[in-house]
Amino acid sequence: MPPSVEEAARALREIDAIKARAAGFQDYRAESDQLLLWGAAHAIGFALSGLFPAFILLIWLLLVPGSMLIGRLLARRAASEIPGIGWRYLVLIGTIFTYMVLVHVVMWPLTPEQGSMVAPLFVSALYVMRGVQMRPRYLFIGLLLAALLMIGFLFFQPIFWWWMAVGYGGSFIVFGFWLRRL
Amino acid sequence: MQTPNEIIHQPIRLKIMAALNTLAAGQWLEFVSLKSIVDTTDGNLGAHLNTLEGAQYVLIKKDFAGKKPRTRVCLSAKGREAFAGYIAALHAILALETLEPDVSGSHATNTPPDNNR
């Protein structure tokens, strides 16, 4: 016996709900790759900044483009679902990078500690915005990152670089694994 | 009236097919991920996957990721086609309903719209 109109409508609603859930799952999986990559990059970058403060600029000038290239390769795995993901990714990271440079120009002089807060706080804000509009886990990630950043900057200046390596880079890695668990 | 595919027209199997249909052709989804999306137990998911595999709607691959056993699932071309047909059948049922004359509410169409609301 064919299903009733109500059953058919319910089945179609069910399909839409599963599509949304699967899309969220895929989005979290793709994001988790990026969080693991950038978490490792920041953990290394901040640790090296603490060890070799005279070479901070050089450290980040090598780390950021290298991570961008790897990140772009990871992002392109979703190319079938999101057309143009490769250049969108570069624009996104380029925007964060440009924002950081411009804030330095406007606010100069900044201490290395102040300068190192600019991009992470911007990224935290982006996650909050994405979380509010799209997926709740991003909201949590953004809020927690911002809280960790401010706690480190305000209360842990003597161990600031290590705090950033573990608190910011490490959190990215933990969040990356968390997003893999739906 | 069209009858939707009886194999797919079961709540869990419908969810499985809908989830796998979101993937690109030839893309595999891990059993644990599918379980999270469908929100069911291992045993239940396994049983329904066997039914779908029997109908050749899904392909199941078992291998190892390192030393860890891994089961992955993929929608076959036949499965994708059957799912498209299933959705078309559901839409046909809804379309048929909208085409049928609404006898009880027919007088309402002669009532001028109340623009003051």
Side-chain angles (χ1 to χ4, degrees):
Chain A
M1 184 183 169
S4 65
V5 174
E6 288 74 23
E7 282 176 327
R10 196 184 316 128
L12 286 171
R13 281 198 301 273
E14 193 72 56
I15 291 167
D16 283 342
I18 285 290
K19 274 165 72 176
R21 196 168 161 79
F25 175 79
Q26 287 168 9
D27 185 53
Y28 280 150
R29 286 300 290 248
E31 192 70 21
S32 98
D33 290 341
Q34 295 294 332
L35 283 170
L36 291 172
L37 167 71
W38 286 100
H42 280 95
I44 293 167
F46 285 125
L48 289 176
S49 299
L51 289 171
F52 310 104
F55 299 101
I56 284 182
L57 190 61
L58 179 66
I59 290 164
W60 290 100
L61 280 179
L62 290 173
L63 259 178
V64 171
S67 302
M68 264 176 92
L69 287 177
I70 299 170
R72 185 168 182 264
L73 289 175
L74 293 173
R76 281 181 61 84
R77 293 199 298 203
S80 58
E81 289 98 42
I82 311 168
I85 184 70
W87 68 263
R88 283 167 199 254
Y89 179 78
L90 290 180
V91 169
L92 175 71
I93 304 295
T95 302
I96 296 170
F97 190 72
T98 307
Y99 175 81
M100 188 192 67
V101 171
L102 293 180
V103 168
H104 273 76
V105 171
V106 172
M107 301 289 188
W108 193 258
L110 294 172
T111 66
E113 287 81 3
Q114 286 173 323
S116 69
M117 292 286 285
V118 175
L121 282 175
F122 184 52
V123 169
S124 304
L126 285 179
Y127 271 111
V128 170
M129 286 186 261
R130 283 178 77 192
V132 165
Q133 291 188 333
M134 292 167 62
R135 312 207 187 284
R137 288 194 188 190
Y138 294 147
L139 176 64
F140 177 78
I141 290 173
L143 290 174
L144 198 64
L145 282 178
L148 285 169
L149 287 166
M150 290 314 297
I151 288 168
F153 186 77
L154 293 174
F155 304 112
F156 293 98
Q157 279 289 330
I159 53 161
F160 179 77
W161 298 110
W162 306 107
W163 177 274
M164 292 295 279
V166 176
Y168 188 71
S171 294
F172 259 50
I173 293 171
V174 171
F175 291 143
F177 285 118
W178 180 47
L179 289 190
R180 285 174 182 240
R181 303 174 68 88
L182 194 70
Chain B
M1 183 183 282
Q2 271 188 283
T3 305
N5 187 314
E6 288 294 331
I7 297 170
I8 300 174
H9 193 64
Q10 192 282 337
I12 299 293
R13 290 198 289 271
L14 173 60
K15 287 182 181 180
I16 294 170
M17 294 294 284
L20 293 176
N21 194 54
T22 61
L23 302 175
Q27 197 176 341
W28 297 79
L29 187 65
E30 286 194 27
F31 184 92
V32 285
S33 305
L34 184 59
K35 192 181 86 168
S36 298
I37 294 170
V38 173
D39 194 20
T40 187
T41 61
D42 283 3
N44 205 9
L45 180 59
H48 286 297
L49 280 175
N50 284 339
T51 305
L52 292 170
E53 189 184 27
Q56 296 178 324
Y57 288 171
V58 300
L59 306 169
I60 299 176
K61 192 192 278 184
K62 294 184 179 185
D63 58 5
F64 284 85
K67 289 182 179 175
K68 217 173 158 187
R70 175 177 63 172
T71 302
R72 289 185 293 165
V73 190
C74 175
L75 194 62
S76 69
K78 186 179 174 184
R80 203 170 287 275
E81 199 177 310
F83 190 67
Y86 174 78
I87 291 177
L90 293 179
H91 282 298
I93 291 167
L94 293 180
L96 205 62
E97 173 71 8
T98 55
L99 287 175
E100 282 174 1
D102 183 3
V103 179
S104 61
S106 59
H107 68 283
T109 55
N110 296 326
T111 310
D114 183 358
N115 292 329
N116 294 326
R117 281 205 290 181

